[in-house]
Amino acid sequence: MSLETLLQAPPVSGSSNAAFSAETFDQAVMSTYGRFPLALERGAGCRVWDVDGKEYLDFVAGIATCTLGHAHPVMVETVTQQMQTLHHVSNLYYVPQQGALAQWLTSHSCADRAFFCNSGAEANEAAIKLARKYAHTVRNIAEPVIITANASFHGRTLATVTATGQPKYQKNFSPLVPGFHYVPYNDLAALEAAIATLDQDSPRVAAIMLEPLQGEGGVNPGDRVYFQRVRELCTERNILLMIDEVQAGMGRTGCYWGHEMLDIEADVFTSAKGLGGGVPIGAMLCQEEFAVFQPGDHASTYGGNPFVCAVALAVCQTLERENILANVRDRGDQLRAGLQGLIGAYPAVFTQVRGWGLINGLVLSPDTELTALDVVKAAMDSGLLLVPAGPKVVRLVPPLIVSEAEVEEAIAIVQKTLEQLL
Ligand SMILES: *Cc1c(COP(=O)(O)O)cnc(C)c1O
């Protein structure tokens, strides 16, 4: 059945096999998303198929989430096996899979402890609470302030949307959560000035929360010299350096964690998106010194259940066993080189490609009328899924298992798309 037909299909009720109708969908689902007129039915590896059977190369991966692509045999087996054994019991009891995942994560990072939740926003929410508790109980700060960056993205809950330095996400949701202050990203002088002002009378700055590479904000990599100086400042002043690894973490940059690309250690960092390879899980990790939560301080009913932890652990072990980080680095180099070639051929359209590993942004020239959305829509018609990161950046975040031939194919489709658009 074609999507057109499906759009007109009458609602089917009482059938577990109901045909898809966008009209009935839009009547029943809260309109929080501007959706593309596309319904995907199945996936395998880096490819997905829509309800008409049309094939797409998936360079979105559920927004930097499906680390191992679609229907990966290890995930299928782990999901099936854990569901047949035990899927949820709550944190009233010990969950061995949760302990094993925490051990994997802490032995593959600078962190010593992990708290599990279900999403990136929740992971950041936990980090914000941890920073506040540390400030109150260890540093005796009555009104702690957390510094975040302009153009950042930390989530949609009230505290994390406040942390997000983009007014468009905050509009109409005031009053926001007090205790946040924003500075320009990668700007050391601005950060030093902000700390000096905030700490003028008595220390107030509890934490600095930054993405190692700003994802939603336009694929802006962090500057090494900046981050190393921020690390020193935080250590000198006992300020927590909290790195939001929700998008850049879990191998996407070619290192397990984006802050490794910057050669720094985080006091606290958060993970979600790629962590479960597509099952909902989030984690907040920290070094022992900052692990100030005690029983009753924070919780999540679903957080770290046997099902998601078994799957996330299988994803982590697969990344390691199959040396997928090497693939991320090689395919990333290949992708950027190919896109660089396109920039050379279309200098009036694109100004640069930026990113690390397999998180890359193709930046549109301010002089072209084309928007990222135009490119994304045209590429979709040509069988390639891409996602904007702001109005003028096209983001490419394929599964980390993407092959050399698939990267080549994606570059060819982008080229074909441009030929059609211009
Ligand atoms: C997506 C994202 C979040 C929010 O994650 P959710 O799982 O959607 O709550 C937070 N921080 C960063 C850097 C993200 O990219």
Side-chain angles (χ1 to χ4, degrees):
M1 203 184 287
S2 78
L3 189 59
E4 282 307 302
T5 322
L6 288 170
L7 292 175
Q8 290 152 17
V12 179
S13 59
S15 161
S16 59
N17 237 342
F20 173 75
S21 156
E23 199 178 35
T24 51
F25 181 103
D26 285 338
Q27 282 164 3
V29 177
M30 190 77 71
S31 31
T32 50
Y33 304 98
R35 294 175 203 272
F36 294 105
L38 174 67
L40 296 167
E41 192 172 71
R42 71 189 171 92
C46 297
R47 290 177 200 271
V48 288
W49 287 265
D50 71 12
V51 291
D52 295 335
K54 182 177 168 187
E55 182 178 310
Y56 300 84
L57 190 54
D58 184 7
F59 270 49
V60 177
I63 315 187
T65 291
C66 302
T67 316
L68 301 180
H70 301 277
H72 191 285
V74 170
M75 288 189 74
V76 172
E77 194 196 311
T78 310
V79 165
T80 307
Q81 201 263 331
Q82 193 59 51
M83 198 52 114
Q84 284 171 341
T85 313
L86 185 70
H87 73 291
H88 179 77
V89 292
S90 90
N91 285 296
L92 291 170
Y93 317 107
Y94 280 89
V95 175
Q97 295 81 0
Q98 184 181 134
L101 179 60
Q103 275 174 345
W104 192 94
L105 290 170
T106 55
S107 62
H108 291 78
S109 73
C110 58
D112 303 305
R113 300 267 195 157
F115 169 84
F116 293 103
C117 50
N118 315 286
S119 67
E122 276 178 274
N124 288 331
E125 193 81 34
I128 292 164
K129 283 181 70 176
L130 188 83
R132 284 186 170 188
K133 184 169 182 193
Y134 185 84
H136 284 293
T137 60
V138 178
R139 297 186 59 205
N140 209 17
I141 299 176
E143 291 189 14
V145 175
I146 295 174
I147 296 178
T148 67
N150 294 339
S152 59
F153 187 83
H154 299 295
R156 303 296 202 124
T157 62
L158 208 44
T160 59
V161 87
T162 305
T164 294
Q166 300 196 55
K168 69 172 179 185
Y169 292 122
Q170 299 169 339
K171 192 171 163 253
N172 289 332
F173 298 118
S174 63
L176 296 172
V177 175
F180 288 88
H181 186 89
Y182 313 95
V183 294
Y185 191 59
N186 281 340
D187 182 336
L188 190 60
L191 179 66
E192 285 175 334
I195 295 174
T197 308
L198 289 163
D199 281 356
Q200 197 168 17
D201 300 324
S202 61
R204 291 184 63 202
V205 179
I208 299 173
M209 182 152 99
L210 295 168
E211 293 158 88
L213 168 155
Q214 291 187 327
E216 305 294 319
V219 192
N220 290 310
D223 177 75
R224 256 166 170 261
V225 175
Y226 171 79
F227 270 84
Q228 288 177 5
R229 185 62 195 131
V230 174
R231 174 65 277 176
E232 284 168 10
L233 267 175
C234 286
T235 305
E236 283 162 19
R237 306 181 72 105
N238 208 8
I239 294 169
L240 266 62
L241 179 53
M242 309 205 295
I243 303 292
D244 181 342
E245 295 277 2
V246 171
Q247 189 156 165
M250 273 308 288
R252 185 151 288 281
T253 62
C255 289
Y256 282 123
W257 309 108
H259 58 267
E260 293 171 39
M261 296 289 292
L262 300 163
D263 251 330
I264 57 159
E265 284 198 357
D267 297 321
V268 177
F269 71 91
T270 53
S271 178
K273 289 198 169 86
L275 176 58
V279 298
I281 180 169
M284 184 271 289
L285 294 108
C286 73
Q287 302 208 8
E288 188 61 38
E289 182 184 352
F290 307 107
V292 291
F293 279 163
Q294 287 162 343
D297 276 341
H298 200 50
S300 163
T301 299
Y302 274 135
N305 82 13
F307 173 73
V308 292
C309 288
V311 178
L313 182 60
V315 170
C316 292
Q317 289 171 337
T318 304
L319 283 184
E320 185 169 19
R321 188 180 56 242
E322 298 182 4
N323 196 16
I324 289 173
L325 296 192
N327 188 60
V328 173
R329 292 189 288 268
D330 292 347
R331 299 289 75 77
D333 288 346
Q334 181 196 351
L335 182 62
R336 278 185 301 280
L339 295 175
Q340 200 64 53
L342 285 185
I343 294 170
Y346 298 94
V349 182
F350 294 122
T351 57
Q352 72 173 135
V353 52
R354 62 185 179 217
W356 295 330
L358 287 173
I359 178 161
N360 292 288
L362 192 51
V363 185
L364 285 151
S365 159
D367 302 329
T368 176
E369 284 184 359
L370 283 180
T371 63
L373 199 56
D374 296 329
V375 177
V376 168
K377 282 179 177 162
M380 184 181 290
D381 287 341
S382 302
L384 174 66
L385 299 184
L386 301 171
V387 58
K392 285 288 199 180
V393 180
V394 179
R395 185 170 21 162
L396 300 98
V397 280
L400 306 188
I401 56 162
V402 71
S403 71
E404 188 172 354
E406 285 162 339
V407 169
E408 209 167 292
E409 187 182 338
I411 295 163
I413 298 178
V414 174
Q415 173 155 17
K416 183 176 139 202
T417 302
L418 283 172
E419 283 161 8
Q420 283 166 356
L421 274 174
L422 296 171

